[in-house]
Amino acid sequence: MTAAFREEIRSWLEKHLSGEFAHARGLGGPGREHEGHEVRLAWERLLGAAGWTCLGWPGEHGGREASLAEQVVFHEEYARAQAPARVGHIGEGLIGPTVIDYGTEEQKRRFLPPIRLGEELWCQGYSEPEAGSDLANVQTRARLEGGEWVITGQKVWTSLAHVADWCFALCRTEPGSARHRGLSYLLIPMDQPGVEVRPIVQLTGTSEFNEVFFDGARTAAANILGAPGDGWRVAMATLGYERGASTLGQQIGFQREFDRVVETARRTGAAEDPVLRDRLVRSWLELRIMRLNALRTMTSLAAGEPGPEVSIAKLYWSEWHRRLGELAQAAQGRAGLVADGPPYELNDLQRLYLFSRADTIYAGSSEIQRNIIAERTLGLPKA
Ligand SMILES: Cc1cc2nc3c(=O)[nH]c(=O)nc-3n(C[C@H](O)[C@H](O)[C@H](O)COP(=O)(O)OP(=O)(O)OC[C@H]3O[C@@H](n4cnc5c(N)ncnc54)[C@H](O)[C@@H]3O)c2cc1C
């Protein structure tokens, strides 16, 4: 059953990753989101039109109702074919499932089709200067005025806000409220005078996340998911979708990066160093362990019981990937310390080293994952 499905995806990708899309292979992804946005958007629309987005969504919303196993197969084949990194992943993976679970019928009709067809892109407006790990400290305010929400405040680290059409944002809608209470989950159009997006330049020299300033930004009163004041519950549900089937596809990309590090270590002679060889072997073994862990996570997700596995998986892959970045630098030797050309041209391994520093921060930092494992799994006292 999944073998036929695998074959169908494989031959579709082979056939369509040609012509204008042949050059899109390998473009984009974490740390490389600046690459080929336009061609990747066209690719997203092609995927959508052919029914290869939102595979797990219910049929009534245009999904294929694909099983978890089928979704894993899709992500594996997608990574194997080096298809371009998706530009619609925040819509498909985060806000789409939240609208399915918490949206009204009208919201489902309005927001789901453009996500599925790659016609509207989304960004996630949670973090603020004083609300990151401590998300309940959100200060962005919104009040109802003349049938619209009027929003004022600042978000930060907002990935892909510069290309997004919509932002789902956690806002304080009850004046004087604190912590988890009085928050609402608003859907805000980005293209309006009250929204200013300022790119943040990263260590890699490129910008994929931004500061977003709301200064009297407006959205219709109906553009709220869940009830006013119930935003925390909806926001936590969204975070719960930030896991799952793409993990095994991600590991195919990791294997490719690992192979490149080994090739480089051979070429530069760094592989002669027994200490480096030992680190490479360890890294290879840990990648195998990661796969087994991911399969275990899939099993518990399929059983509808996401538990601490999700935090264990995030902690494990992000720490591993950061160490791989360090290995990538060691494999290049001294040449890895110098950029290729002006003003800031990084090779793939240098980019891997610099961007993998972010892996242990986004989607819950390593310290926060350890707190979750300690408190919820090991039953240790609260931090
Ligand atoms: C590449 C990237 C993309 C991102 N994209 C988005 C996005 O699209 N939308 C969005 O809303 N946010 C996004 N973020 C923000 C991300 O969610 C936050 O950076 C993250 O939650 C950490 O918050 P912070 O940066 O405010 O750090 P802080 O919360 O201030 O943490 C600083 C340090 O203190 C540690 N720490 C904090 N609290 C505790 C604790 N209780 N116990 C132990 N240690 C603790 C942290 O682990 C960290 O090391 C992105 C971040 C990155 C790096």
Side-chain angles (χ1 to χ4, degrees):
M1 166 69 182
T2 51
F5 191 63
R6 192 182 286 281
E7 194 42 50
E8 187 188 349
I9 296 159
R10 194 176 282 179
S11 56
W12 191 90
L13 288 171
E14 204 169 298
K15 179 164 171 223
H16 290 88
L17 279 170
S18 57
E20 63 167 319
F21 297 118
H23 302 293
R25 279 188 199 248
L27 292 185
R32 299 168 50 191
E33 290 291 354
H34 59 289
E35 295 174 344
H37 178 74
E38 288 306 319
V39 72
R40 287 163 58 213
L41 185 59
W43 173 251
E44 182 82 16
R45 291 178 178 165
L46 182 72
L47 279 179
W52 288 117
T53 58
C54 309
L55 297 191
W57 286 15
E60 63 180 304
H61 302 309
R64 291 188 181 225
E65 304 194 356
S67 66
L68 204 53
E70 287 171 330
Q71 293 175 55
V72 168
V73 165
F74 175 80
H75 287 290
E76 284 184 341
E77 289 308 318
Y78 195 86
R80 203 164 275 141
Q82 296 198 57
R86 299 282 306 280
V87 293
H89 59 287
I90 297 177
E92 170 169 337
L94 296 181
I95 185 65
T98 316
V99 170
I100 291 172
D101 286 350
Y102 291 88
T104 61
E105 285 312 309
E106 198 172 329
Q107 287 170 334
K108 290 176 195 173
R109 269 197 305 278
R110 164 63 188 84
F111 291 112
L112 296 177
I115 292 175
R116 186 169 50 75
L117 297 169
E119 286 166 358
E120 284 180 350
L121 304 181
W122 285 78
C123 64
Q124 177 177 25
Y126 280 17
S127 303
E128 299 183 0
E130 300 303 325
S133 305
D134 186 18
L135 185 59
N137 198 34
V138 158
Q139 301 298 326
T140 294
R141 302 182 312 276
R143 61 174 200 285
L144 270 179
E145 191 184 284
E148 289 183 317
W149 291 103
V150 181
I151 305 122
T152 305
Q154 185 198 342
K155 298 291 174 180
V156 72
W157 317 124
T158 321
S159 298
L160 303 177
H162 54 293
V163 290
D165 303 289
W166 286 84
C167 177
F168 54 96
L170 201 51
C171 303
R172 199 160 287 287
T173 48
E174 285 172 22
S177 65
R179 310 298 301 164
H180 314 83
R181 296 197 191 85
L183 297 169
S184 296
Y185 192 109
L186 301 185
L187 313 176
I188 306 169
M190 294 294 281
D191 185 13
Q192 56 166 314
V195 177
E196 187 191 345
V197 176
R198 292 189 202 157
I200 300 172
V201 180
Q202 301 155 193
L203 276 176
T204 48
T206 53
S207 299
E208 56 202 61
F209 51 30
N210 307 269
E211 293 177 293
V212 176
F213 295 87
F214 297 115
D215 183 11
R218 289 175 175 265
T219 194
N223 287 338
I224 178 171
L225 278 192
D230 200 22
W232 183 258
R233 195 167 64 95
V234 185
M236 289 304 103
T238 303
L239 291 184
Y241 307 122
E242 213 168 347
R243 54 173 153 82
S246 61
T247 319
L248 285 163
Q250 177 192 42
Q251 291 178 20
I252 288 173
F254 286 170
Q255 179 70 49
R256 197 174 294 126
E257 289 174 343
F258 175 82
D259 292 343
R260 196 168 300 156
V261 172
V262 172
E263 255 168 56
T264 305
R266 285 206 176 107
R267 186 170 44 73
T268 60
E272 301 299 319
D273 173 7
V275 176
L276 190 88
R277 289 167 77 89
D278 184 62
R279 285 168 67 193
L280 286 170
V281 170
R282 223 172 253 272
S283 183
W284 184 88
L285 285 170
E286 287 169 354
L287 189 53
R288 260 80 216 143
I289 294 170
M290 199 191 300
R291 183 172 169 80
L292 296 176
N293 265 324
L295 290 169
R296 187 173 63 173
T297 309
M298 294 293 123
T299 313
S300 66
L301 286 177
E305 298 161 0
E309 294 93 339
V310 175
S311 286
I312 293 169
K314 166 71 196 348
L315 184 61
Y316 198 92
W317 78 251
S318 59
E319 295 280 335
W320 178 88
H321 201 224
R322 202 171 65 167
R323 286 195 300 277
L324 183 70
E326 288 160 8
L327 261 174
Q329 282 301 92
Q332 294 176 86
R334 273 172 294 182
L337 299 175
V338 184
D340 270 353
Y344 207 82
E345 299 272 319
L346 300 174
N347 66 36
D348 283 352
L349 294 187
Q350 289 167 329
R351 195 177 296 283
L352 164 65
Y353 169 63
L354 292 177
F355 197 82
S356 59
R357 315 306 292 178
D359 291 339
T360 54
I361 302 172
Y362 67 79
S365 71
S366 286
E367 289 76 13
I368 295 302
Q369 305 299 346
R370 288 194 183 97
N371 280 351
I372 294 172
I373 296 165
E375 290 167 21
R376 298 195 199 152
T377 310
L378 302 177
L380 295 176
K382 275 193 170 293

